[in-house]
Amino acid sequence: MAMVNRKTASKKAHVKKKMVKSSDKKGSNKGVPTFLKAGNSLYGPEVIGHHWINGKFLRGANHVASVNPADLSDLVGRFPNAGGKDIEAAVAAAEKGFKNWKAVPAPVRGTVIGRLAKIIEREKESLARIITREIGKTLKEARGEVQEAIDTAEFFQSEGRRLYGQTVPSELPNKELFTYRRPLGVCLMITASNFPFAVPSWKMIPALLAGNSVIWKPSEDAPATAMSFALCFREAGFPDGVVNLLFGDRAVGEKLLTYVDKNRIQKVSFTGSTAVGRKIGEVCGRAIQVPSLELGGKNPLIIHKDANLEKAVPAAIVSCYGTAGQRCTSTGNIIIHKEVYEEFKSRFIAAAKNIRIGNPLLVPETFYGPLIAERYLKNFIAHLEWGKKDGGKLLMGTGRITKFTPYGNFLGKNPEAGYFVTPTLWENVTPKNRLFQEEVFGPTVNLVKASSFDQALEYANAHAYGLSSAIFTEDPHIMLKFKEGIQAGMSSINNSTTGAEAHLPFGGVKASGNGTRESGVWVLDSYTRWHAVNVDLASQLQLAQMDVDYGSAKSPTDFSEWVKK
Ligand code: NAD
């Protein structure tokens, strides 16, 4: 797992050897794969990517490079792109894995997940470093992401002892009614680039706890992180075929989805863009399945006239520019009451000018690092053009940081080594603008003026998305109106639009999601189906759903039939 940290690399290689050995004893891994080779002297070894199918690590074919977006000369690793045979093998393995795993008692499944929590905790630092190296978020954020997975595993460990059904009273005598949570089968997880560890943990851990098997197709932008996670699952001791990892691009995702139509995949859980989510929704709808769709956002942050700006401004900076704006919950529009518009604007610009950008593995003071991949950079640069045509007034931002377009707070020698872009700020934006409506997925935000709270709330709902939202106000009546009126899955009062807790439901409405939720007990509804069972102990056949004469026809208040003489 320690694919980055040079100091710990040899120790971790030893751990990995041990893991492979113990697996060999079970005969689940013929030959010892080598996962690391000498890499970049600054960042650590290069990862030799392997699919993980039916408990075996397989080198696969059509290898694609994963590079460090903060330093494109650093090759993080090469990873296979799954072909038809790999996909078929993974589905077959998951089908077999499901049969075995669902028979394991839920508390025992919870114990394996508890082991997983301890392994991730032990490896927290090396996992955080690989996340930072591969997608460029700061180490503080990456550690937080790993912690989210630990919290999730710890939460679901004990849910194994609480996978409750219900006993339900029957309308007929001598009859018992029960409900059970049953697993669904083979679950396909397709995940995004920006939370490559926490989000997959939100999906896989509850799905496994509930007795399902999993095929995971991670983002093509974060394969080394995914492989590190697979090594944690492997060490935790999940039986072969219960967790399978397939690398690949969108075409691999599409091929996997064809198994939904064949009913060989019973559940798809997807986190990513709304455009792809719609396609997945169509595929699953055709097969009468409910996918979990966690999609994009254009999250509003309202600054009411009584907002505490000492708190609101730093919160807005984190909301908009943290993780280089590449969170689904990043703020897209700051909607400000006209009475405090100018003051907020000048304080926000002053704070934004202090943002330090750099290579987060080399410069600990970095506030945000690079964009995750070239496609996000292209998209970001393009928005600067169409934003101007769209009527937005650009207050801050020059696009990519280069030696010709320098940024004063870039902490490093060569900004062109990575995909670094400046904090960007627009004004003169209203709900009619494309800038207001479209998720850019980068460090850019719009200032929007509102003449009253009612108008601010109207604006906050005037976009297609409905993921996160926030307001700064000291007025409890405004808080109440906001809570009742906002169309979003998640809302903060006097805090950022970003942030999540492992035991609170996470998800959106409208174009941000189909109503399923990640995290907490709520997510179990996504990975189980309710099974209703009745047990009839009466000596004679008694039928429900008939027009039963409850009072034995004598009188509606005659209950003698039920009362023992
Ligand atoms: P993306 O939709 O481009 O890709 C996500 C995953 O889907 C990747 O694994 C990709 O290979 C796969 N994929 C792409 N096209 C596919 C297709 N046609 N069929 C099957 N699979 C396909 O998203 P991204 O760029 O990786 O992530 C950014 C997006 O994700 C943003 O919109 C962001 O808001 C959203 N996101 C949402 C949440 C949430 O919880 N709501 C969390 C993180 C990110």
Side-chain angles (χ1 to χ4, degrees):
M1 266 158 290
M3 295 168 179
V4 171
N5 191 340
R6 277 184 303 140
K7 278 188 197 156
T8 53
S10 61
K11 193 173 143 213
K12 302 298 188 240
H14 173 65
V15 170
K16 215 168 293 137
K17 244 187 182 167
K18 255 178 33 198
M19 282 153 50
V20 171
K21 256 192 178 166
S22 66
S23 171
D24 275 345
K25 269 186 214 153
K26 290 188 287 169
S28 64
N29 200 46
K30 292 198 183 79
V32 180
T34 312
F35 297 127
L36 302 177
K37 68 176 185 187
N40 188 298
S41 58
L42 265 182
Y43 303 102
E46 184 189 318
V47 181
I48 304 172
H50 287 68
H51 300 302
W52 188 37
I53 303 171
N54 203 23
K56 296 185 182 69
F57 281 97
L58 304 168
R59 187 69 185 103
N62 304 318
H63 299 113
V64 180
S66 170
V67 293
N68 177 346
D71 185 343
L72 304 176
S73 70
D74 173 30
L75 178 65
V76 181
R78 287 185 195 279
F79 293 82
N81 200 53
K85 280 189 184 156
D86 302 317
I87 294 174
E88 171 57 35
V91 175
E95 286 174 329
K96 193 186 91 192
F98 173 57
K99 279 195 193 130
N100 296 332
W101 184 239
K102 73 174 178 187
V104 175
V108 180
R109 296 197 296 255
T111 306
V112 183
I113 285 165
R115 276 209 297 273
L116 178 69
K118 291 195 178 78
I119 294 161
I120 301 173
E121 194 159 32
R122 187 193 71 209
E123 297 295 334
K124 183 172 174 179
E125 192 57 22
S126 60
L127 289 164
R129 291 182 70 84
I130 196 103
I131 294 169
T132 296
R133 182 179 173 196
E134 197 163 42
I135 65 157
K137 64 171 64 172
T138 63
L139 272 172
K140 200 173 174 185
E141 287 171 321
R143 288 183 192 118
E145 172 155 5
V146 178
Q147 187 59 43
E148 189 81 14
I150 298 166
D151 296 344
T152 299
E154 285 178 347
F155 181 90
F156 282 102
Q157 170 178 14
S158 60
E159 280 306 303
R161 297 187 181 274
R162 246 190 321 265
L163 204 59
Y164 297 148
Q166 295 116 344
T167 54
V168 180
S170 172
E171 58 195 33
L172 296 170
N174 294 313
K175 195 172 176 188
E176 292 187 310
L177 306 182
F178 305 97
T179 66
Y180 300 87
R181 280 191 186 276
R182 305 290 186 208
L184 302 176
V186 175
C187 299
L188 169 63
M189 314 310 197
I190 301 182
T191 52
S193 56
N194 60 339
F195 276 90
F197 203 86
V199 165
S201 82
W202 289 356
K203 296 178 185 302
M204 291 194 279
I205 290 168
L208 291 166
L209 185 273
N212 302 284
S213 61
V214 162
I215 300 169
W216 178 24
K217 197 217 78 67
S219 165
E220 50 273 55
D221 296 316
T225 304
M227 208 174 124
S228 309
F229 205 172
L231 290 170
C232 299
F233 277 108
R234 182 167 185 252
E235 189 185 342
F238 288 87
D240 293 350
V242 172
V243 188
N244 303 276
L245 170 66
L246 272 184
F247 293 107
D249 54 17
R250 63 173 46 212
V252 173
E254 283 168 2
K255 275 187 213 141
L256 276 160
L257 288 170
T258 63
Y259 284 78
V260 173
D261 274 331
K262 297 174 195 161
N263 196 27
R264 293 186 63 194
I265 285 175
Q266 283 75 36
K267 169 81 189 183
V268 181
S269 184
F270 172 77
T271 292
S273 61
T274 299
V276 177
R278 280 188 209 284
K279 289 185 194 162
I280 291 176
E282 282 170 22
V283 172
C284 295
R286 209 163 54 215
I288 327 287
Q289 286 186 15
V290 181
S292 294
L293 300 176
E294 305 299 338
L295 311 174
K298 189 78 184 179
N299 308 291
L301 167 63
I302 297 179
I303 306 293
H304 191 50
K305 60 185 175 188
D306 65 346
N308 173 355
L309 296 188
E310 289 296 318
K311 193 174 166 189
V313 171
I317 293 286
V318 171
S319 279
C320 304
Y321 299 130
T323 330
Q326 298 166 111
R327 287 184 182 227
C328 53
T329 51
S330 293
T331 298
N333 291 302
I334 311 180
I335 303 165
I336 310 152
H337 195 285
K338 63 180 181 191
E339 287 178 24
V340 288
Y341 184 90
E342 289 304 330
E343 189 183 351
F344 179 88
K345 178 178 146 184
S346 62
R347 286 193 192 204
F348 184 85
I349 290 174
K353 281 186 176 158
N354 285 328
I355 286 177
R356 286 168 299 200
I357 299 172
N359 179 335
L361 274 180
L362 304 182
V363 188
E365 302 82 22
T366 296
F367 178 74
Y368 74 69
L371 294 180
I372 296 167
E374 193 181 11
R375 66 195 167 103
Y376 301 123
L377 177 70
K378 284 186 177 155
N379 197 40
F380 189 81
I381 301 296
H383 111 280
L384 291 171
E385 286 311 310
W386 63 249
K388 282 178 210 153
K389 287 188 195 137
D390 190 41
K393 181 175 169 199
L394 190 61
L395 294 178
M396 268 177 58
T398 51
R400 187 170 187 178
I401 307 174
T402 66
K403 47 182 179 289
F404 304 110
T405 49
Y407 175 73
N409 277 329
F410 181 78
L411 310 175
K413 285 190 187 122
N414 179 14
E416 284 160 68
Y419 302 129
F420 297 100
V421 295
T422 58
T424 300
L425 183 66
W426 301 87
E427 73 172 348
N428 285 356
V429 175
T430 74
K432 288 194 185 113
N433 293 98
R434 181 175 168 193
L435 276 170
F436 186 97
Q437 297 292 338
E438 195 168 309
E439 182 188 39
V440 177
F441 208 60
T444 181
V445 69
N446 311 312
L447 300 182
V448 181
K449 199 184 279 182
S451 53
S452 64
F453 168 74
D454 288 343
Q455 188 178 51
L457 184 60
E458 187 192 318
Y459 283 2
N461 290 328
H463 57 101
Y465 295 101
L467 189 58
S468 185
S469 58
I471 188 169
F472 274 81
T473 179
E474 300 295 310
D475 182 340
H477 299 284
I478 294 290
M479 290 177 193
L480 184 63
K481 274 185 164 185
F482 174 73
K483 280 193 284 186
E484 289 180 350
I486 191 74
Q487 294 163 9
M490 298 167 292
S491 299
S492 292
I493 294 175
N494 294 330
N495 210 320
S496 153
T497 54
T498 57
E501 302 209 19
H503 52 287
L504 196 66
F506 187 101
V509 296
K510 303 199 294 187
S512 293
N514 62 342
T516 54
R517 290 290 178 266
E518 311 270 37
S519 297
V521 290
W522 301 271
V523 73
L524 288 173
D525 286 336
S526 291
Y527 298 111
T528 55
R529 62 182 168 85
W530 283 109
H531 184 194
V533 175
N534 74 76
V535 180
D536 195 324
L537 300 166
S539 51
Q540 287 184 331
L541 181 64
Q542 44 179 4
L543 299 175
Q545 269 187 332
M546 296 291 165
D547 187 14
V548 178
D549 187 358
Y550 286 109
S552 303
K554 287 179 200 161
S555 138
T557 52
D558 178 3
F559 297 100
S560 57
E561 191 179 309
W562 283 273
V563 179
K564 288 257 175 341
K565 298 258 163 23

